[in-house]
Amino acid sequence: MFTPKGKFGWYEIITSDPKSTGKFYSDVVGWTTQEMPSADGPPYTVFNLGKVGIAGMLQMTGHSGWVGYISVDDVDAHIEKIVEAGGKLWRPATDVPGMLRFAVLSDPQGAAIVVFTPNPSMPSPEPPAPPTAGTVGWHELYTTDLDAASAFYNKLFGWTKVSDMDMGPMGVYRLFDEGDHKEMGDGGMMTKPENVPVSCWGFYFNVGSIKAAVKRVEAGGGKVLHGPAQVPGGGWIINGQDPQGAMFSLVSNKE
């Protein structure tokens, strides 16, 4: 789980039905599930790619959705900075013994994020690099104020703008870089469409073929809401909804 500071390093889905959610994403993305022991509270499930953890799953009644964890060097200090910048604290800093310290917040426009500091002694095998199937290939923010959101993530995490793309009636799509200086960056930000009710982050999971993945989504009871569509750079994407209602996206270099 360890990642350099200021980068997404973990992803988590909150769901009311972990069993069926686990099967859906295992079938669609190619992960396997592993339940972790819990001294108190609901069990925690890890999505593995081979022997490496990629994401997690937590049960919560009445809610379903993905959230991203951003690595920082000091969770408590970042809480203060985020609140000072207009964000909100939803869950105070909490320790998971031997693993990490984390806090749940939202940015000034309301998009949920988790900041975390991993325990340096925790085993952290290196995950495969994107675009390996099963890895996370893209991060996308839908926000009510693109310029303010961009400034917030630049100030708090050091992200920088790569370029702005004109999408016509949909406005500007801003590519951002988390520090690796990739040609296309690590993700994009845009003003949320009217059909997206609140500001939120979305995550794109790599698959081998987008058309084959669409069949797996539909066979598993999910819905394809947009796509397949080709995007700049030549990749193919879909935006979908899993059987419990959580939004997700897939990306592939192959149609």
Side-chain angles (χ1 to χ4, degrees), residues 11 39-40 49 66 84 117 122 133 137 181 192 200 206 246-247 252:
Y11 310 87
D40 54 358
L49 181 59
W66 283 93
E84 286 175 2
T117 300
M122 181 181 65
H181 308 299
K192 73 176 187 66
C200 62
N206 281 295
M247 310 300 290
S252 176

Side-chain angles (χ1 to χ4, degrees), residues 205-210 234-237 250-255:
F205 309 124
N206 281 295
V207 292
S209 160
I210 207 72
W236 290 85
I237 65 163
L250 304 177
V251 60
S252 176
N253 289 332
K254 288 177 59 180
E255 184 182 10

Side-chain angles (χ1 to χ4, degrees), residues 38-119:
S38 176
D40 54 358
Y44 192 81
T45 302
V46 173
F47 287 111
N48 288 324
L49 181 59
K51 296 182 178 180
V52 181
I54 298 293
M57 178 168 54
L58 187 65
Q59 184 175 8
M60 184 181 296
T61 302
H63 181 77
S64 190
W66 283 93
V67 66
Y69 282 54
I70 303 173
S71 177
V72 297
D73 56 359
D74 186 331
V75 165
D76 299 86
H78 259 77
I79 291 172
E80 291 186 17
K81 293 176 183 177
I82 290 170
V83 172
E84 286 175 2
K88 291 184 179 180
L89 176 65
W90 295 104
R91 176 169 179 167
T94 304
D95 289 310
V96 180
M99 297 186 68
L100 73 157
R101 183 170 176 81
F102 75 98
V104 182
L105 303 104
S106 58
D107 68 23
Q109 287 70 48
I113 55 173
V114 178
V115 293
F116 79 108
T117 300
N119 187 320

Side-chain angles (χ1 to χ4, degrees), residues 139-184:
H139 314 96
E140 195 162 76
L141 177 65
Y142 303 98
T143 182
T144 56
D145 190 329
L146 176 60
D147 289 334
S150 181
F152 170 83
Y153 287 97
N154 171 261
K155 179 180 179 180
L156 271 297
F157 304 109
W159 299 355
T160 56
K161 182 176 81 170
V162 176
S163 62
D164 282 346
M165 301 173 62
D166 184 356
M167 299 190 297
M170 294 184 68
V172 170
Y173 191 81
R174 179 163 297 169
L175 303 180
F176 69 86
D177 172 54
E178 293 179 353
D180 289 332
H181 308 299
K182 301 172 187 173
E183 182 179 357
M184 296 293 290

Side-chain angles (χ1 to χ4, degrees), residues 13-28 31 33 47 56-58 63-64 66 242-246:
I13 186 168
I14 310 298
T15 179
S16 58
D17 189 343
K19 184 176 181 180
S20 62
T21 298
K23 184 179 188 315
F24 177 80
Y25 286 101
S26 294
D27 291 344
V28 170
W31 296 328
T33 57
F47 287 111
M57 178 168 54
L58 187 65
H63 181 77
S64 190
W66 283 93
D242 72 21
Q244 280 64 54

